[in-house]
Amino acid sequence: MEEILSFEVREGYEGLRLDQFLSKVYPEYSRSFYQDLIEKGFVLKNQQVVKKPSLKVKLNEVYFVTIPPPTPIEVEPENIPLKIYYEDEDLAVVYKPPGMVVHPSVGHTSGTLVNALLYHFKNVSMYQGRERAGIVHRLDKDTAGLLVVAKSEFAHKELQKMFQNREIDKKYKAIVVGLVKKDYGMIDLPIGRSIYDRQKMGTVATNLRDALTEYWVEKRWEKHNLTMVDIKLHTGRTHQIRVHFSAIGHPLLNDEVYGFKKSKLTSDTAKQMSDLLNFHALVAYSLTFKHPRSGKEIKVQLENLPEPIPYILEKLND
């Protein structure tokens, strides 16, 4: 079935090209995908078809976008570099770089982690179809870090159960805006589709589901009004860490969807470091779980955080 979405131009988005605006407020699809929809007449403003992707949007305008029914996606193996941290016959733990989409979808038919898995592994679980080959859990496009992937159907089913039963320990590191007061805390706020902006998740929302995030403060930079936190996820809601830290007034550095404008950054160094990032400052750096077949504990950690985060930390510590 086709899907009809509506988008209001809010403060901070006025003056953008229409295709750029749509890709920013609803990044599930690429800018080129929206360009194609616009040119084919699937975008309306005031009940009139708009066919210019370059049209500059204005504050408070409302656009209606019809997403046609998806067509089957041909998923091909692609020789994309892939860091493999652990591998056996049942599963593997791999690194997903920032900017990479986990699995193909309309608008993202190549260059995904699944394309890489199909190339690098002779056997990958097809339990949920070729488009999601091996995928048991996901990371946002602009979140870097470790993912466990299933090679056997047995492991796929068992890992899914383990995630549902919260038996997999997932840890993240993040740089957030502001000085987090408590050295330790639990954020217990249900998450659903925001009632204010349906393109986003939120804590004032419909279809709320429980969400629990535990954190420890690692470092505060008072001069730069930034904090580094170590995070453990107890649930796996969409955008959970980003929503939770935004809800307590400490959004991730460089999070364009849930974050502050850069004017909220209080030092030139912080602004420069934010400009260096082309992803939000969140990394899934550790995975610990029991092997679904042997019961042996598997613990994998990144040896280094992805660039430019180490450089940013060095500059903030100067």
Side-chain angles (χ1 to χ4, degrees):
M1 290 180 61
E2 67 181 23
E3 183 180 14
I4 299 177
L5 307 172
S6 63
F7 305 99
E8 181 179 353
V9 181
R10 299 178 182 271
E11 185 180 348
Y13 293 102
E14 67 272 22
L16 293 177
R17 286 172 51 112
L18 177 56
D19 56 350
Q20 186 182 18
F21 163 70
L22 293 174
S23 66
K24 279 184 174 293
V25 297
Y26 202 69
E28 278 81 353
Y29 302 105
S30 68
R31 186 170 170 179
S32 60
F33 174 77
Y34 287 117
Q35 288 174 352
D36 186 57
L37 286 188
I38 294 165
E39 291 168 355
K40 288 179 178 177
F42 287 102
V43 178
L44 302 179
K45 182 184 78 171
N46 299 329
Q47 306 303 315
Q48 299 295 317
V49 173
V50 180
K51 287 196 173 185
K52 285 181 62 179
S54 62
L55 177 73
K56 299 295 176 67
V57 301
K58 297 178 182 178
L59 192 64
N60 299 324
E61 287 180 334
V62 179
Y63 290 87
F64 292 88
V65 181
T66 299
I67 308 294
T71 54
I73 299 171
E74 294 293 329
V75 187
E76 299 297 333
E78 294 179 27
N79 186 7
I80 300 167
L82 185 67
K83 279 190 177 181
I84 303 168
Y85 282 81
Y86 174 88
E87 182 185 4
D88 61 29
E89 291 299 313
D90 283 306
L91 58 88
V93 178
V94 302
Y95 171 74
K96 186 196 82 67
M100 175 183 274
V101 175
V102 169
H103 59 73
S105 62
V106 178
H108 294 287
T109 56
S110 66
T112 74
L113 181 63
V114 165
N115 295 105
L117 296 178
L118 290 172
Y119 180 89
H120 288 279
F121 296 132
K122 186 178 296 184
N123 296 310
V124 184
S125 168
M126 300 291 174
Y127 175 58
Q128 290 189 308
R130 189 174 176 84
E131 292 176 17
R132 285 172 170 73
I135 301 304
V136 183
H137 63 129
R138 295 185 290 179
L139 293 174
D140 295 342
K141 176 184 175 184
D142 287 326
T143 299
L146 296 170
L147 283 169
V148 57
V149 298
K151 294 178 66 180
S152 69
E153 185 173 318
F154 166 81
H156 204 139
K157 293 177 181 178
E158 292 302 310
L159 286 168
Q160 281 187 332
K161 291 177 189 175
M162 291 165 70
F163 273 104
Q164 290 168 1
N165 295 332
R166 305 178 185 179
E167 296 170 354
I168 296 182
D169 187 70
K170 299 171 286 183
K171 289 188 176 177
Y172 297 71
K173 290 189 186 294
I175 302 173
V176 302
V177 179
L179 300 176
V180 179
K181 292 181 180 179
K182 296 180 179 179
D183 290 340
Y184 167 79
M186 296 281 282
I187 306 173
D188 186 359
L189 294 170
I191 289 174
R193 183 67 63 180
S194 172
I195 64 171
Y196 302 114
D197 187 342
R198 73 175 307 279
Q199 300 95 286
K200 297 166 66 173
M201 307 303 287
T203 55
V204 181
T206 56
N207 299 319
L208 287 168
R209 301 176 69 188
D210 67 302
L212 185 62
T213 303
E214 188 174 11
Y215 71 85
W216 297 260
V217 168
E218 283 195 4
K219 178 85 174 181
R220 296 182 183 90
W221 295 280
E222 293 189 21
K223 177 181 175 182
H224 306 300
N225 196 38
L226 296 173
T227 303
M228 187 162 191
V229 288
D230 195 75
I231 300 163
K232 178 176 179 177
L233 274 186
H234 291 272
T235 52
R237 307 303 175 215
T238 301
H239 301 172
Q240 178 173 322
I241 291 173
R242 299 166 65 193
V243 171
H244 269 176
F245 277 89
S246 182
I248 65 170
H250 297 290
L252 303 185
L253 180 65
N254 209 43
D255 189 336
E256 294 184 355
V257 177
Y258 298 101
F260 297 141
K261 293 183 179 180
K262 288 180 182 175
S263 60
K264 292 281 187 180
L265 299 176
T266 58
S267 77
D268 289 339
T269 300
K271 292 174 185 177
Q272 291 166 5
M273 295 306 100
S274 181
D275 288 339
L276 279 178
L277 278 172
N278 59 0
F279 58 98
H280 45 245
L282 178 66
V283 181
Y285 77 93
S286 175
L287 274 176
T288 305
F289 58 94
K290 289 185 178 179
H291 194 286
R293 193 179 296 274
S294 69
K296 176 185 175 182
E297 182 178 85
I298 307 294
K299 184 172 185 176
V300 181
Q301 291 191 341
L302 292 180
E303 65 276 19
N304 295 299
L305 297 177
E307 291 293 350
I309 290 180
Y311 175 78
I312 288 171
L313 296 177
E314 180 183 336
K315 289 298 181 183
L316 292 175
N317 287 327
D318 283 349

